[in-house]
Amino acid sequence: MSWRFLAERLLWMVIVLCGITILVFVLTHVVPADPARAAAGPEASEEHVQALRRQMGLDRPLPVQYFSYMRDLLSLNFGRSIQTQRYVKEDLAVYFPATAELALGVMLVYTVLSVILGVLAALRSGGPVDYALRFIATVGVGFPAFWLAMLLQMVFYRDLQWLPAAGRLDPTVLAPARLTGLYIIDSLATGNWAALRSASAHLVLPVTAAVMARMAVGLKLTRVSVLEVLGQDYIRTARSKGLAGAV
């Protein structure tokens, strides 16, 4: 039964992925824009645009274009970027580590704060601490992340000048030797403490904005889970026998 369940899930995953690729392919052809013209530039001649269109395969039938698109996608050949004219894999190698570092920072801070504040709210359920934490988290999730990020920049960069507004390192700080592309890990591995301080400071504002915009969900889930455990029979039995508790 488990093998059948797994086979069904894998089949549905393949169907969903195929559906996503078809949707993306259709949307790229529905959008009223010419990729060949965009890649050639506004000053390019029509002959150059047509030659580029043939080079990109845009003159072929749509089914042929789709199968070519799937072949390149499965072989991780994402082509060239229209903006940078470099291979997309090269751009990913340059920019993905910054995104991964920010995502890992957000996940770490979000998980730790969600657990700590959720447990605290559950242990003080119905009290001022519980209401204050839930109110702050709800207010935070009600603000758009981009607006919250701009607000934090104005306060902590423009007014207080405590934190940098953008980038990954200060211009005067040398980047650590590239091991993973993640400045925090590379700085720790190479002992580049100046880069570690600068990279950490540059992560504070974006991590704070992203975490505050999502904190309410994690806090409430943790709070509900802890309250459910605290209401179990074995907890009530332990308390009835004199076991000291936090509540």
Side-chain angles (χ1 to χ4, degrees):
M1 188 66 180
S2 59
W3 285 106
R4 180 179 178 182
F5 176 81
L6 180 61
E8 290 178 353
R9 289 295 179 268
L10 290 176
L11 178 61
W12 277 110
M13 183 180 69
V14 172
I15 294 175
V16 170
L17 290 177
C18 290
I20 292 174
T21 59
I22 294 174
L23 179 62
V24 172
F25 180 80
V26 170
L27 288 177
T28 56
H29 285 75
V30 171
V31 173
D34 187 355
R37 171 64 67 180
E43 304 298 330
S45 64
E46 186 62 27
E47 291 78 9
H48 179 62
V49 173
Q50 293 299 330
L52 190 57
R53 183 175 288 111
R54 288 191 296 270
Q55 179 183 345
M56 298 172 68
L58 298 176
D59 59 331
R60 293 179 292 180
L62 288 181
V64 177
Q65 291 186 45
Y66 175 74
F67 285 110
S68 176
Y69 163 75
M70 287 298 299
R71 180 197 61 205
D72 293 340
L73 191 63
L74 293 175
S75 61
L76 301 182
N77 179 16
F78 304 117
R80 289 182 179 270
S81 170
I82 294 178
Q83 292 184 342
T84 64
Q85 294 302 314
R86 295 186 302 183
Y87 286 106
V88 174
K89 289 190 293 187
E90 296 178 1
D91 285 343
L92 286 176
V94 173
Y95 298 112
F96 179 75
T99 303
E101 187 170 53
L102 176 59
L104 290 173
V106 171
M107 289 174 59
L108 178 62
V109 175
Y110 173 80
T111 302
V112 172
L113 288 182
S114 295
V115 172
I116 293 176
L117 297 181
V119 170
L120 182 61
L123 296 179
R124 299 291 184 268
S125 178
V129 174
D130 180 27
Y131 287 117
L133 290 175
R134 286 193 288 167
F135 175 77
I136 294 173
T138 303
V139 170
V141 80
F143 291 137
F146 70 90
W147 183 88
L148 189 59
M150 290 190 294
L151 180 64
L152 293 174
Q153 284 180 328
M154 288 189 294
V155 173
F156 292 98
Y157 170 71
R158 187 193 65 182
D159 298 337
L160 300 177
Q161 297 183 356
W162 287 356
L163 295 168
R168 299 183 69 191
L169 288 175
D170 291 331
T172 58
V173 177
L174 294 176
R178 186 182 178 93
L179 301 176
T180 63
L182 308 181
Y183 283 172
I184 299 295
I185 296 178
D186 292 350
S187 300
L188 288 172
T190 59
N192 191 338
W193 308 122
L196 177 63
R197 289 191 295 270
S198 180
S200 301
H202 280 77
L203 282 174
V204 171
L205 289 183
V207 168
T208 301
V211 169
M212 289 185 65
R214 296 164 176 81
M215 179 56 63
V217 177
L219 189 151
K220 289 182 178 180
L221 287 176
T222 304
R223 178 180 178 273
V224 170
S225 299
V226 174
L227 287 176
E228 183 178 354
V229 172
L230 292 177
Q232 296 293 324
D233 293 338
Y234 69 92
I235 296 292
R236 293 198 296 266
T237 301
R239 286 176 179 168
S240 66
K241 292 184 178 180
L243 181 66
V247 291

